[in-house]
Amino acid sequence: VSTDKQAKTGYGLEAQLQACQVYVRERGYTLVCEPFVDIITGTTSHRPALESLLETITTQDINVVVMPEIDRQSRDYAEFVVIDNLIAEAGARVEYAIGANFDNNDEDSWLMKHLLAMLAHRERLRILRKTRDGIVAKVMDGQVFCSRPPYGYKLVALVNEQGKRHNYLVACDEEAVIVIQIFDWYIGGDSVYAIAQRLTKMGIPTRADDPAAKLSKRVSGTGEWSERMVRLILSREEYTGIWFWGKTKSVKKSPGSNETKQVAVSRSLWKSATIPAIIERDTFDVAQQIAQDHLKRAQRNGKYNYLFTGRLICKQCGYAMVGHRILQPKKPNYEYVYYRHSRKLPASAECINCNATEAEIDSTFWRWIVTIASHPETIEEHLAARQQQSEERNRPLQKQVEILDREIKEIEKERDNLQLMLVREKITESFFDSNIKRVEKQIIELTSRRTELKREIEDTDFSAEQIAGVREFCAMIREGLKGLTREERRLTYEVLDVSGELTVEDSVRVIHATCILDVRRLPIGPDKNGDAGLFTTSVRLPLR
C-alpha cells in the first residue's frame, strides 16, 4: 500500500491480501510464509519487504510469488523490469491474483506483460498531471492549499452546493494590526531584534500561543517573540494580497533514494491566488530593500571559512552545531570562534547545550588524525575494509544495472527488427508507427533509470582516486605533522570525511568522532603541551 493511513485502516491492503489468499486457495498452492507487505508507494523498488522476499525465495525454495495485480509490483516501468528480473533470477515466477498471468519465455506473453506495465506507468503520470491541473485550477479560482496560514490570516473553509470544500484565506484583524506595526517599526529604523523584544514586552500572543495552530515543536515560551518570527513576517509577500502555490517542489535527496527534499522553482512557474491585502506593495518593497542593505553591511558576511561547517552535531538532541565568530573593533587582533546549536531548542527538548571553540575542536581532531596517519599499515587495512564495504553496498545496485543493460539490448533488438521489417515491407507503416513509439519509450525509461543507478553508485563508491587522496594526505601529515596550514587541515578533514557528535560525559566534553579510517571517542581539550590549536585564540566556554 502507498500510505500509512491505508495500512492502519485496511483500505486497499485488506482487499489486496484477500485477493491473494483466494488466488492461492483456488490454485491449490501451499502458503510457505506470511504475506510480505510494503507500506510504500508502488513507484519505487527500495522496499524492505521486497528485499526480505528475495532472500526468502532463495532460502525456502519458493516457486511462485503472488501479487495482487501488475501495478502493485511497480508503477514505474524501469522498476517493474528490475523487480521482475530479480524475482526470476532468485528462482520464482510472479503470478497476479487480479488479471492475466504471463510466461516470460513466450514472446507474445512477455510483450503483453510489458505493455500493461507501461500502461500502469502512464496511468501514474496521468494521475499526477490531473492532480496538479486540479490544484492549479482551484488556485486560479482563489483557493489556497496550506495547513498553517501565515500570521495575520486565518483559513476559512466553505462548502458549496455539491458538498465540496473550498479553502480561502481571510485577514485576522487582531494579527493584521501587528503585521502592519512590525513593518512600520522596521521601516522606521528598528532592528529585527528590537521589534521582537518590543512585542514580547507588550505581551502580544504569537501563533504558537494559539492552541488551534497545533505546532509540533514549541521553541519559545508563551508570548515570546523571536527574531526568526519577525524576519519571516517581514519577508512574506502574501501580505501584499497575493498567495503563491508551487514555489518549491519535492525531489529525491539522491538518485534512488526514498528521502526527498524541497527545492526552489522558477518564479515564472508559480501559480497565484488573490487574498486580502494587509500592507501596500510599496511598503513591502521598502522593507525588502532595507533588509538587503542590512545584509550587505552585516559583519558576519565577511565570508569566514569555518573549519567544521556541516561536520558537527549535538549527540544529545541531534541539532547541528554551527560556527559563530566574535570580533572586537577596539582589538584588531581579537578573534573568538566557537560552535553552538544551529537554532533555539524546543521547550520540550532536553539538552545541556554543549559548546566548544573551533581551536579546541581543531586541536582534538588533529591529534587524532596525526595518530592515525602515523601508522601506514593500519591505514591500508582500513582502506581495504572501506573499499570492501563500498562494493558490498553497491552490489545490489550493480545487479540492477546489469538487468537494465540486458533489457535495453533486447528492446533495441526489437526496435532494429521493426525497422528491418518495415524496409522489407513485411509490416505496414501504421503498425510500425504504433510499435516504434512504445519501444522508444521503453528504452528511454530504462536508460533513464540506469543513469540514476550509475550516478548513485558513483556517489557512494569508494574510488581509486579517493584511496589515492587519503594516502597522499596521510603521507603529508606524517611529513609535516603539526606544521600544516589551516587550509591544508581543512582539505584533510574533507578528504578523510571527518565528523563528530559533541556531548558531555562524566562532566567532560567529548566528541564521538568518525572518519574514513577510524571511529573514536575523543575528550575535548588542549594536548599535554597546552596546544589548543594553531589558528584561533582558545577560550573555554562554560557549560550550560
Side-chain angles (χ1 to χ4, degrees), residues 381-489:
E381 292 177 5
H382 283 298
L383 288 175
R386 180 64 181 263
Q387 192 169 24
Q388 184 178 357
Q389 291 173 1
S390 176
E391 291 173 356
E392 290 177 355
R393 183 174 59 248
N394 287 331
R395 191 171 291 120
L397 300 181
Q398 290 283 10
K399 183 68 174 177
Q400 293 187 39
V401 170
E402 292 171 7
I403 290 172
L404 291 172
D405 284 338
R406 187 170 64 245
E407 291 293 327
I408 289 171
K409 287 181 180 179
E410 290 296 322
I411 298 175
E412 285 177 341
K413 286 181 183 178
E414 182 183 356
R415 180 192 60 192
D416 296 341
N417 287 336
L418 283 171
Q419 293 171 341
L420 182 61
M421 292 173 70
L422 178 66
V423 171
R424 293 178 177 178
E425 298 183 350
K426 290 187 177 182
I427 57 175
T428 63
E429 288 189 7
S430 60
F431 181 87
F432 173 82
D433 291 339
S434 61
N435 281 274
I436 198 67
K437 291 179 181 178
R438 183 258 310 167
V439 169
E440 288 177 345
K441 193 168 184 179
Q442 286 177 296
I443 293 173
I444 290 172
E445 293 295 337
L446 296 180
T447 303
S448 175
R449 178 59 181 149
R450 181 188 181 279
T451 301
E452 285 185 4
L453 287 171
K454 292 291 287 184
R455 192 182 302 122
E456 185 176 358
I457 291 171
E458 290 172 1
D459 290 343
T460 58
D461 192 25
F462 195 51
S463 65
E465 291 80 5
Q466 286 177 296
I467 293 174
V470 171
R471 287 173 177 157
E472 179 183 346
F473 272 89
C474 287
M476 184 173 64
I477 293 168
R478 285 195 299 273
E479 293 172 5
L481 292 180
K482 295 186 179 181
L484 299 186
T485 66
R486 186 175 193 277
E487 185 58 29
E488 286 171 335
R489 289 194 180 204

